[in-house]
Amino acid sequence: MATPSTKPKLSTSARRTAMLGAMFLMATSAIGPGFITQTTEFTVQIGASFAFAILVSILVDIAVQLNVWRIIGVSGLRAQELGNKILPGIGWALAALVFIGGMVFNIGNIAGTGLGMNAMMGLDPKIGGIISAVVAILIFLSKRAGMALDKIVVMLGAIMILLMLYVAIVAAPPVGEALKNAVLPENINFLIITTLIGGTVGGYITYAGAHRMLDSGAAGIENVKDITNASILSIIVTGVMRVLLFLAILGVVAGGAVLTTNNKAAEAFGHAAGDIGMRSFGVILWAAALTSVIGAAYTSVSFITKSTTPERTRNLITVAFIAVCAVIYLFLGQAPQTLLIFAGAFNGLILPLGFAVLLWAAWRRRDLLHGYAYPKWLLLIGVATWLLTLFLGWNSLAGLSKLWA
């Protein structure tokens, strides 16, 4: 793919569609089975105080995405390409971390689609998982795969939000208490906050939207305003989904229900809205897992291909990626716990390593940004956030000790 200076300009409507697709790809990639499980568990643990953790994580996530989207968008280069221009080899090291972690987590995402279809219609999880993998493959085999991808993630994202809104209203949560705790929390848990940040902008998710934006052709200095808006809105969409899920679970817990099963989210939805709630949970879990399958596959492959790689070739590699993950899931039923811990550690390394590369490009390599004067205030926010990502990375590496526990 050419740089923004040589790529044909998109029409206003085409640029908006491309930005919307990139925005929802990032948002829905973050909203996966783990997102639902984490949000439910933390709401049960600390109740209304979880509102503060959500607010802080959203602010940090915006700081990360503002920088990632702008640097990649203005340069017209993917994260690994920028890395290799700054320090040869560092980009491919980043690509290896993303690809390995993306493949392991995608097995878990396919498992999530199976569980979603099981909750929706009682289908065997393995059959549901394979059907969902075929749906994802068909998207990338489409002659207009890029347009199909954008439309699917926007549609599924909208469905998730509407269903979650319904359940949140039916659950009748104490909204006033949640608002109060968002600014004056009764309980502050920094481990929960860092976990949320890692789950929302960690691993491949960090680059999903920005790389999609490049492939859509909606990049370049002239599009900085649109890039900024899309990067913020992607996090807001993710935040809205988390807030609605939080309120739904909070309403159930505040109403006196005790969640005891291994699938607390499904149990809570059943308490809130009966059989309709359970079916709604199935649809939400399936949509969340399917969009994560699409996002993980798309972004992982974008790290092992070049901007100049023909779109059809990229799509066929993506199809193969999903197919391999589906076959592994068919034999194992889920991603092995040991591999998930390793992949989690990889994810913890991706954000500080990749973010450092991007910030260096903004600070010292103006030539890679086509002479663009990067805002100093944004760079300072980025550096402060990068220091936090080092802490997150250290925490994720500590998780490897579980393998020998």
Side-chain angles (χ1 to χ4, degrees):
M1 190 180 80
T3 63
S5 59
T6 59
K7 191 174 180 68
K9 290 185 178 181
L10 296 175
S11 66
T12 301
S13 61
R15 187 175 70 249
R16 285 175 181 168
T17 301
M19 285 296 187
L20 189 65
M23 181 184 85
F24 268 88
L25 182 67
M26 183 272 141
T28 55
S29 293
I31 304 166
F35 175 100
I36 293 172
T37 302
Q38 280 182 357
T39 304
T40 303
E41 289 290 342
F42 294 150
T43 303
V44 171
Q45 281 180 37
I46 62 175
S49 294
F50 187 46
F52 177 76
I54 293 174
L55 179 61
V56 173
S57 68
I58 287 174
L59 294 175
V60 173
D61 293 342
I62 287 175
V64 170
Q65 288 297 306
L66 269 174
N67 280 285
V68 169
W69 282 57
R70 185 174 297 214
I71 295 166
I72 288 177
V74 170
S75 70
L77 297 169
R78 297 176 183 179
Q80 76 273 19
E81 292 171 330
L82 273 171
N84 283 333
K85 286 182 178 294
I86 290 169
L87 181 64
I90 194 73
W92 293 122
L94 179 63
L97 291 172
V98 171
F99 189 82
I100 294 170
M103 176 164 280
V104 174
F105 279 117
N106 227 23
I107 299 168
N109 290 333
I110 292 173
T113 63
L115 293 174
M117 292 196 81
N118 177 260
M120 261 196 293
M121 55 187 75
L123 201 63
D124 180 275
K126 284 195 174 182
I127 294 175
I130 296 305
I131 290 174
S132 302
V134 170
V135 170
I137 284 172
L138 289 175
I139 292 170
F140 288 101
L141 285 178
S142 167
K143 288 184 179 179
R144 305 186 71 178
M147 185 177 292
L149 171 65
D150 292 338
K151 288 183 176 179
I152 287 290
V153 295
V154 171
M155 181 186 71
L156 291 177
I159 289 172
M160 283 190 282
I161 289 174
L162 290 173
L163 284 176
M164 194 67 78
L165 177 62
Y166 164 73
V167 178
I169 291 172
V170 171
V175 176
E177 186 182 351
L179 287 172
K180 177 187 172 184
N181 274 270
V183 291
L184 295 171
E186 297 170 6
N187 183 353
I188 299 177
N189 189 314
F190 289 104
L191 180 58
I192 286 179
I193 293 171
T194 55
T195 302
L196 290 189
I197 295 168
T200 310
V201 291
Y204 70 88
I205 300 168
T206 313
Y207 309 99
H211 280 196
R212 177 64 197 142
M213 172 183 64
L214 281 192
D215 290 341
S216 300
I221 296 174
E222 68 276 13
N223 291 318
V224 163
K225 184 179 178 181
D226 287 338
I227 291 169
T228 299
N229 292 339
S231 63
I232 294 173
L233 286 172
S234 66
I235 294 298
I236 290 176
V237 169
T238 310
V240 166
M241 185 67 178
R242 196 183 297 275
V243 167
L244 291 176
L245 178 56
F246 156 65
L247 289 175
I249 306 299
L250 182 64
V252 170
V253 174
V258 179
L259 306 180
T260 57
T261 65
N262 289 331
N263 195 341
K264 291 184 175 65
E267 188 183 358
F269 275 52
H271 275 291
D275 187 59
I276 293 176
M278 286 294 292
R279 303 294 179 189
S280 296
F281 171 78
V283 175
I284 291 168
L285 178 60
W286 178 77
L290 181 63
T291 50
S292 291
V293 168
I294 293 168
Y298 178 89
T299 313
S300 296
V301 170
S302 78
F303 270 87
I304 61 165
T305 54
K306 297 180 179 180
S307 297
T308 52
T309 304
E311 183 180 5
R312 186 64 178 167
T313 302
R314 285 203 313 269
N315 290 338
L316 290 176
I317 295 172
T318 307
V319 165
F321 181 90
I322 296 171
V324 169
C325 292
V327 169
I328 295 173
Y329 163 69
L330 193 60
F331 282 100
L332 300 179
Q334 62 181 4
Q337 193 61 34
T338 301
L339 284 180
L340 283 173
I341 293 172
F342 264 120
F346 290 156
N347 264 8
L349 292 174
I350 290 167
L351 186 52
L353 175 62
F355 203 28
V357 166
L358 296 181
L359 291 175
W360 184 265
W363 182 37
R364 304 294 295 174
R365 294 298 304 271
R366 191 169 171 177
D367 58 309
L368 296 177
L369 302 186
H370 308 287
Y372 176 69
Y374 201 79
K376 288 184 173 58
W377 65 269
L378 191 53
L379 186 60
L380 288 173
I381 289 175
V383 171
T385 308
W386 176 72
L387 293 173
L388 176 61
T389 70
L390 291 178
F391 174 69
L392 294 176
W394 178 259
N395 276 354
S396 71
L397 285 177
L400 289 177
S401 63
K402 296 178 183 177
L403 294 178
W404 293 274

